[in-house]
Each structure stands twice: as structure tokens, then as C-alpha cells.
Amino acid sequence: IQIGTSAPFSITLSKYAPGLLTVTTGSQTIVSATHANGSLVTASSPVTPGETMVLFATGLGAIDSSGHPTSLPTVTVGGLQAKVLAAVVTNPGTYQVNIQLDITTPAGNQPVILAIGGASSPAVPMPVASVPFITEVDNGASFLPGAVANAYLTIKGGLLSSVTDNWDHTVVNGVLPTTLDGVSVKVGGQPAYINYVSPDQINVVAPNVPAGLATVTVTNSVGTTAAFTTTASVYGPAFFQWYGGDGTIYAVATRTDYSLAVKNGTFSITTVPAKPDEVIILWGTAFGPTNPPTPVGVAAPSAAPTADPVTVTVGGTPAAVYTGHAVLTQGLAAVYQVAITVPANLADGDYPVVATIKGASSPTTTILTVKR
């Protein structure tokens, strides 16, 4: 036995040498990754556009005392930039990289490339699903989770539609469409009335679903989403929103002549805020049943007051509500008007405007500007 020393072998040390770990199933090698729930990404369990997931990598360089690399890598999937949420060492030399895919990531085996410090990993394929999916279901005015019968509902997700369109050209004699460009929606097993479609968002008027848990599905030419469970309610009052340049959420409000009652500067045109003791109209949805009842699935054939009274406060001060009720707008679907008199004693300022019906209140984050 002869024991000795090998000849020197030269290597190059780099600050970064990014590489993605892989797994092989059958004859296919794909990136080593897991879904957010910890299950493995495979050809039979692909990721979906917009999904949050985990990649496993090496060569991301030095780490700090918490195990994080000194800078975040970047990741592209199918040529689209993914959002990198975090990166941390899990085992010596192995990094866990949390990412969220772009909502428009194409289907199929898409190349994943990780880059850091000017160095890039070789591309490794990852299976991306081709069926539509839902990520959230919200009130169509407050954008809080949940659905309200016969009210606007916003559905967010991915691959929901191949086009962007609205129902303007499909409403005939006031009858609302249950399909639009090959897209249909069911809420609680009943067809919804589709107002707007796009790849990542659909707006509908919910059918007359009972209160309680309800499933929501979207169907288009490539498939049907997994059922998304939400909570349906009879009431969920909310005012439609305008967004100020500073991020303030203003209630959609007009005067009786339909001029806009909102802080000047919110839009490119000049607007005049509401004045104390002035009558204005607030516009919203999800104020519940009317008396007499309004037919489902059609634009309101006539103005109809809510079956229950409505109260409104502006900055905590009660405002007089005309007739004491919200009124479903004639010729529109699921759109209510609430006519109030702005409290006369309010000083100039921005105030939360809150409507309450049958114990349910609209969000306190919606603002009405008052200026003398």
C-alpha cells in the first residue's frame, strides 16, 4: 500500500454560482420545488400562474446571521419575472427561495432561471398548469372577502378568460348574460350574471344564494376552476370607490344633477366636494332585498326601496337618509342609491361615511370629503 498526496487541482472560487436543484421522475427532469402547502411540484401536480411556491437552489453566496443571502436573487419562469419573497439557507449549501409566479405565466414546461450578482443558473423546466384558478372572492364594492346575494361580486385568479370584455353589448331588454366570451360562473351552484371578464378578474352579479358557505367556480374553454369556498350573506352594504392619488378611498358620490361630489384633484377635471347641509347621492351595492321584490337576473325595471331601513353616519355624525331606505336604481343591476343630507355642523375635512342595514355596516375606510 502506498499512501501519498494527489497533485494540485486548480479550481475557481466565485462569489456566486447559482444553480437550481432538480428531481427526476421517469424520464423527465424538472426543478425541485414545492407548493405552499409543502407538496411536491410534479407533472401531475403543476404550479398555477400567480401561485406562491418554493424553489431549492445552491450557490447564492454568503449569508447573514439569520441565514439569508446578502442580496435577494431574481427568478424568471417562462421568461416572466416572478416575485421573490424570501431566500434562506435550510441545509449547508442549500437555499430555499420563496417566489410568487406572475399571473400571466404561460402553461407547459416553462424554463426557470435564477440569477444573483450578475451570474445566472442554467434553465430548468417546471410544469405550469393550463386550467383557470381562483385566488379570492370579494364584495364588488368593498373588496372584502365574501359574497352577497344579488350584489356585485369580484373574482380574482388566473387564466379566467382569454379576452377582456364587458356585458354592454350582450344585455338585451334588460336581461343579464350568464355567459360572456365563453366564460361562465356559478355561485352556490347557481349561474351568476357576468358583467366583466379578463385574464385575472371577473365581475358578476351574484344569484339569489342563501346565507352560509357557498362554492364559486369559473368555467371557460380550457376547463373549470377548483371550487373556491366563500361565505354568502343577505347584507354586505358597501359604497363603490374612487381612489385618490394619495391612496385615499373615496365613496362614489354625486349631486342630484350627477355632478361629482369628491375632493378636487381626485380626477383630471375640476370637482367640488360635498357641502354641509347639502343633499348628495351615495352609490353602492349589497344593500339586500327590496320591497316590492325585484326580479333576479335583469336590470331593475323600476326604482325599488330596500325592505329594511338604512342609516348613514358621516364622521360618526348621523346623516338624514331620504325616505330612510336605499333605493335600487332603475335600469341598472345591483346598484343602489342612498340619498343623504350632509350633517350641517361638520367642519371641512375628510370623514368616514358608513351605511348600516340590518346590523351590517359598510367599511369605515371609505371617505367623504366635506368643504364649505
Side-chain angles (χ1 to χ4, degrees):
I1 300 174
Q2 183 177 4
I3 301 174
T5 302
S6 69
F9 185 91
S10 298
I11 62 171
T12 300
L13 293 176
S14 301
K15 185 175 182 180
Y16 302 105
L20 291 162
L21 304 188
T22 62
V23 294
T24 301
T25 56
S27 60
Q28 187 179 34
T29 298
I30 61 174
V31 71
S32 177
T34 64
H35 299 283
N37 64 6
S39 63
L40 293 176
V41 173
T42 64
S44 59
S45 181
V47 296
T48 55
E51 180 181 347
T52 298
M53 55 166 299
V54 177
L55 299 173
F56 297 96
T58 189
L60 302 189
I63 57 174
D64 62 21
S65 59
S66 299
H68 301 280
T70 53
S71 62
L72 280 178
T74 60
V75 176
T76 60
V77 181
L80 297 176
Q81 198 78 32
K83 182 178 182 181
V84 178
L85 305 174
V88 65
V89 165
T90 53
N91 292 304
T94 302
Y95 300 76
Q96 175 179 302
V97 182
N98 295 57
I99 67 169
Q100 182 177 25
L101 273 63
D102 187 277
I103 201 75
T104 60
T105 304
N109 283 330
Q110 298 300 328
V112 182
I113 298 175
L114 183 149
I116 188 169
S120 297
S121 70
V124 181
M126 180 168 67
V128 180
S130 60
V131 296
F133 63 94
I134 297 172
T135 56
E136 59 182 284
V137 172
D138 301 326
N139 180 301
S142 69
F143 301 110
L144 295 175
V148 177
N150 304 311
Y152 272 95
L153 184 66
T154 293
I155 301 165
K156 296 182 180 179
L159 305 178
L160 299 176
S161 171
S162 59
V163 299
T164 298
D165 198 4
N166 62 55
W167 68 14
D168 288 352
H169 59 94
T170 62
V171 177
V172 179
N173 297 325
V175 178
L176 309 179
T178 55
T179 62
L180 183 62
D181 299 301
V183 178
S184 62
V185 174
K186 285 188 176 181
V187 180
Q190 301 181 48
Y193 308 97
I194 303 184
N195 165 261
Y196 168 86
V197 296
S198 73
D200 58 2
Q201 179 173 319
I202 296 176
N203 298 338
V204 304
V205 173
N208 192 24
V209 291
L213 294 180
T215 58
V216 179
T217 58
V218 175
T219 299
N220 59 27
S221 60
V222 297
T224 299
T225 64
F228 187 98
T229 301
T230 190
T231 300
S233 306
V234 178
Y235 303 93
F239 297 119
F240 294 117
Q241 301 175 357
W242 285 323
Y243 291 88
D246 61 354
T248 302
I249 301 171
Y250 297 104
V252 172
T254 67
R255 297 175 174 81
T256 54
D257 63 0
Y258 298 105
S259 62
L260 309 186
V262 66
K263 180 182 287 186
N264 191 36
T266 303
F267 301 108
S268 58
I269 61 173
T270 300
T271 55
V272 179
K275 301 177 183 296
D277 208 30
E278 180 180 31
V279 175
I280 64 166
I281 299 170
L282 301 164
W283 298 78
T285 193
F287 282 81
T290 61
N291 185 19
T294 301
V296 177
V298 297
S302 60
T306 52
D308 296 289
V310 174
T311 60
V312 174
T313 60
V314 181
T317 301
V321 177
Y322 183 72
T323 75
H325 294 258
V327 177
L328 190 62
T329 306
Q330 182 176 1
L332 298 179
V335 175
Y336 294 78
Q337 302 178 42
V338 185
I340 69 167
T341 301
V342 179
N345 61 344
L346 290 180
D348 292 358
D350 290 344
Y351 297 96
V353 54
V354 179
T356 301
I357 182 169
K358 206 69 174 178
S361 296
S362 62
T364 58
T365 51
T366 308
I367 299 300
L368 181 72
T369 299
V370 176
K371 185 173 177 61
R372 297 177 182 274

